[in-house]
Amino acid sequence: MILATDYDGTLCRGVITDEDRAAIIRFREAGNLFGVVTGRDFPMAYGPLTGDGGVPFDFIIAMNGALAVDREGNILFERRADGVVLPELIRTVCEVGGSHLGCVTGKTRREFSLNVPDGDDFYAPLSDARAIKGFTQGNTWCDNTEITAKAVGIIKERHGAYINVFQNHVCIDMPPIGVDKGTGVAELADIFGVPHGEIWTAGDNYNDLPMLTRFRGCAMENGVQAVKEAARGVYPDIASIIDEMMG
């Protein structure tokens, strides 16, 4: 079996609890596969899971399904958005209330802002954006969920031909069109040779819906209502899901 869980708000609700960590170890020792499916990019996902307070895992699917790595950080697959006119996307994101645009290609991340056109120690020059024709994921964040929800609609309308657009609290994730957490989990399962009927998923927010509805979906008690309604069950933590999986 595979258990594929979101990170922020699902596996990590402030911290990863000792109860969840012990359950994951027991789950893997029984010959099952455990991994995280997150909107985070590779460094932001791999570091916390392998550092102090992390958990043992078999895979990470990062950037909402666009990139997967194994325990050692080796890339298992990567999907990129083609036909990107990055300066136009940066302009849209900043106009609708996004803080800036983070642009990830593979394991490399660059930040762009209309307010810092020439770049500085944090932002890359906007002129660099013209040469980028594809990326693994873009992301930004807004001041509140209302602005975020409105911004998602506008970005989809203007750029939906080549990117998916997902709201995750105040964050906006933009993987390639046709890519989501559900497609990422399916591709990963095929690599490991696990039947799709043996996949359980867990999440708490809107960008988790594609995997929760495609596979056996488990919602967290702290999740948004749409996730709870779409899932097959609502759970307090990862340990309780593993208890049910292992019977």
Side-chain angles (χ1 to χ4, degrees), residues 1-4 185-186 189 194-201 215-216 245:
M1 291 186 291
I2 287 179
L3 174 57
V185 171
V194 176
H196 291 191
E198 297 181 8
I199 300 170
W200 291 48
T201 58
F215 305 103
R216 185 178 180 91
M245 291 180 74

Side-chain angles (χ1 to χ4, degrees), residues 145-168:
T145 54
E146 290 76 20
I147 294 174
T148 307
K150 184 176 180 180
V152 164
I154 296 172
I155 296 170
K156 282 183 178 178
E157 181 180 354
R158 296 183 184 178
H159 304 280
Y162 58 85
I163 55 172
N164 270 342
V165 189
F166 297 110
Q167 180 178 359
N168 185 6

Side-chain angles (χ1 to χ4, degrees), residues 113-140:
S113 173
L114 289 182
N115 296 323
V116 192
D118 297 324
D120 59 15
D121 292 340
F122 181 75
Y123 294 107
L126 290 179
S127 57
D128 288 0
R130 301 190 188 102
I132 298 175
K133 304 303 180 184
F135 60 67
T136 316
Q137 178 170 273
N139 53 35
T140 189

Side-chain angles (χ1 to χ4, degrees), residues 64-241:
N64 290 287
L67 176 79
V69 300
D70 62 16
R71 171 73 188 182
E72 287 71 39
N74 301 306
I75 293 178
L76 299 173
F77 66 79
E78 180 183 2
R79 302 289 167 257
R80 295 193 182 186
D82 295 320
V84 175
V85 184
L86 197 58
E88 294 182 5
L89 180 59
I90 295 168
R91 187 173 305 279
T92 296
V93 166
C94 293
E95 285 177 353
V96 299
S99 57
H100 66 293
L101 181 72
C103 178
V104 185
T105 303
K107 297 181 180 181
T108 302
R109 180 183 180 91
R110 282 176 285 186
E111 318 287 345
F112 297 96
S113 173
L114 289 182
N115 296 323
V116 192
D118 297 324
D120 59 15
D121 292 340
F122 181 75
Y123 294 107
L126 290 179
S127 57
D128 288 0
R130 301 190 188 102
I132 298 175
K133 304 303 180 184
F135 60 67
T136 316
Q137 178 170 273
N139 53 35
T140 189
W141 58 84
C142 303
D143 287 340
N144 57 59
T145 54
E146 290 76 20
I147 294 174
T148 307
K150 184 176 180 180
V152 164
I154 296 172
I155 296 170
K156 282 183 178 178
E157 181 180 354
R158 296 183 184 178
H159 304 280
Y162 58 85
I163 55 172
N164 270 342
V165 189
F166 297 110
Q167 180 178 359
N168 185 6
H169 297 290
V170 297
C171 295
I172 301 174
D173 298 328
M174 294 164 273
I177 191 70
V179 170
D180 56 44
K181 289 190 175 185
T183 65
V185 171
E187 186 163 0
L188 188 284
D190 292 343
I191 289 173
F192 284 115
V194 176
H196 291 191
E198 297 181 8
I199 300 170
W200 291 48
T201 58
D204 72 304
N205 217 284
Y206 298 107
N207 63 331
D208 298 317
L209 286 169
M211 69 174 179
L212 296 181
T213 55
R214 185 165 182 170
F215 305 103
R216 185 178 180 91
C218 305
M220 307 309 293
E221 288 180 346
N222 56 284
V224 299
Q225 189 60 32
V227 166
K228 294 178 182 179
E229 292 175 356
R232 298 188 186 184
V234 179
Y235 300 80
D237 54 22
I238 296 301
S240 61
I241 297 172

